[in-house]
Amino acid sequence: HRTTIGYPRSMPPAPERTPLPTDARALPATEAETLAALAPLLAASQLPALSAAESAVVGTHLRLLDAWNPSINLTRIDGAERRATHLLLDALVAVPLVESLAATRASARGLRVADLGSGGGFPGIPAAARLLASDPAATMDLIEATQKKARFLDVVAAASGLAPRLAVRAERAGALMPERQGPARQEADRRARGDAQIELPVPEDRE
């Protein structure tokens, strides 16, 4: 009686993943319906319409978001109306508040803003499109601890043309201000949990 011993066949190598895109110009214009839905919302909120430069930044962001979202789950908000309301309008209505807060802390270095727990770039990138255009000395940091999401934010910052004034820091928000307590630290903790809705000007004594 002869026993045949079988050996498992080697598994074929896993197919290489296609790199996620970095050039929004090569992607479909998936932002068109969302921008069209945003226009009347801005008017109803008595906010300025997007300029051509702001539209270009937001369009770049949305195109790359649509290309990356199936792979790394940046947002569950879909549909032009919901995207216009919950992703874009919610960011842009905060801009006057951020500017008024910054006016009480005038600095020759310009407005410095941080979006804590930036995720898919909301509200930080749409707000940056307007804030950085209105103040040539302004800067914004997108704080995001998840490396894949931070990589996405880096790509958008570069593709939008706002880098290096729009910068990404792949760190936990609380770690950036370990010695701080009070409202600033509480706001960082809320953003890390996804509770807060606006960006805060960076304290002037914090480099």
Side-chain angles (χ1 to χ4, degrees), residues 92-108:
L92 293 168
V93 295
V95 170
L97 175 58
V98 174
E99 290 176 329
S100 66
L101 288 172
T104 67
R105 307 178 184 183
S107 169

Side-chain angles (χ1 to χ4, degrees), residues 63-102:
R63 287 190 193 189
L64 289 166
L65 179 81
D66 290 335
W68 284 57
N69 198 46
S71 298
I72 64 172
N73 191 26
L74 294 160
T75 180
R76 295 182 181 179
I77 296 174
D78 57 8
E81 294 287 343
R82 295 184 70 232
R83 281 156 55 109
T85 301
H86 298 298
L87 298 182
L88 301 181
L89 184 64
D90 279 2
L92 293 168
V93 295
V95 170
L97 175 58
V98 174
E99 290 176 329
S100 66
L101 288 172

